[in-house]
Amino acid sequence: MGTGGFAKWTRRFEDELERRRTQGDPDWAQRPTLHPAVWAGIQRFQVGEDGDGANLVGKADEAGDSDYAQAVRLFVAEEQNHARLLARLLAAGGVPTLSGHWSDAVFVRLRRLMGLRTELLVLMIAEVVALRYYRALRDGTDDPLTSDVAGRILADEQRHVPFHCERLHASLAELPRALRRPVMTLWRLLLLAVSLVVAVDHGPALRQLGVGRLRFTADTAASSGEVVSAALTPHPDAWTGAPPLRRG
């Protein structure tokens, strides 16, 4: 199905790619010093960002919209760049990357279960959780290199959410109207469950970053309302105009 309108997203991703080339990398000569729990959290998120995106790209191709498929390829490239940035940050601190983590394996399996709609719903859970984590990492440390890396990734994630909302809106429109809101209600419940798991798993790191488990979970749940509204309204790109969550 051709969804239309995704040429603008291709341009946005391409503009951002050019901006990154002009900006250049962070100063990797800096030597970050972080609490071991924070390093452990970065290791786990680095695994989550690292992947070839082949399954998502294949489903995007099958959707029949060449503009969307190209935008997805550029999205995957940005995610791979996140993995690269986090790997370089770990290397700057003398911390190795992980070969894998159970949470990433679960998400990958879930995303591959069904079609593009399910893939996006599961992916959106990871994206919304990532928004809160990278904001905490950016604002919760005095280390300039870590804040720089987290800020760059956060800026990308803030564009990724409305991008996925726009395609999800088109996908939800294929369902009977009576099913659309229940689907997104179930999505919010799954997001809440995942955010609780992440809050427990990353609890020591979040405390070091000044964000308690309950606050992390509450902030993530609160942001889900904006995502649902964007996915169900005729103008999902309006998410980009949503007021930012408070810092810290």
Side-chain angles (χ1 to χ4, degrees), residues 188-208:
R188 292 189 75 175
L189 291 173
L190 290 173
L191 172 62
L192 177 60
V194 170
S195 63
L196 284 168
V197 171
V198 173
V200 171
D201 195 32
H202 291 260
L206 292 173
R207 281 196 299 273
Q208 292 296 321

Side-chain angles (χ1 to χ4, degrees), residues 133-141 146-147 150-151 154 158 247-248:
Y133 169 76
Y134 288 119
R135 185 160 60 88
L137 188 61
R138 181 196 66 183
D139 298 342
T141 175
T146 302
S147 294
L154 178 63
Q158 288 170 333
R247 291 175 66 88

Side-chain angles (χ1 to χ4, degrees), residues 68-132:
Y68 176 65
Q70 178 60 19
V72 165
R73 284 173 168 80
L74 292 167
F75 156 74
V76 169
E78 283 196 355
E79 293 288 291
Q80 292 171 338
N81 185 56
H82 296 173
R84 182 187 69 85
L85 289 172
L86 293 175
R88 290 294 301 271
L89 176 62
L90 289 166
V95 179
T97 58
L98 301 178
S99 59
H101 190 260
W102 67 267
S103 57
D104 179 61
V106 169
F107 267 100
V108 170
R109 288 179 181 275
L110 287 174
R111 285 169 54 185
R112 292 178 177 175
L113 282 177
M114 299 177 70
L116 179 60
R117 184 186 303 121
T118 301
E119 174 103 6
L120 290 177
L121 287 169
V122 176
L123 177 59
M124 283 289 286
I125 289 176
E127 294 282 86
V128 173
V129 170
L131 280 174
R132 189 62 187 94

Side-chain angles (χ1 to χ4, degrees), residues 40 67 69 89 105 115 156 163 201 209 213:
D67 289 330
L89 176 62
D156 287 344
F163 167 62
D201 195 32
L209 298 172
R213 289 187 175 100

Side-chain angles (χ1 to χ4, degrees), residues 15-48:
D15 288 346
E16 181 59 25
L17 177 60
E18 182 59 31
R19 190 197 65 79
R20 285 199 304 271
R21 288 172 177 165
T22 302
Q23 180 187 29
D25 262 9
D27 180 8
W28 301 120
Q30 301 177 70
R31 289 292 178 262
T33 302
L34 301 172
H35 189 278
V38 177
W39 281 126
I42 294 173
Q43 286 177 307
R44 295 170 193 174
F45 270 84
Q46 194 277 332
V47 171

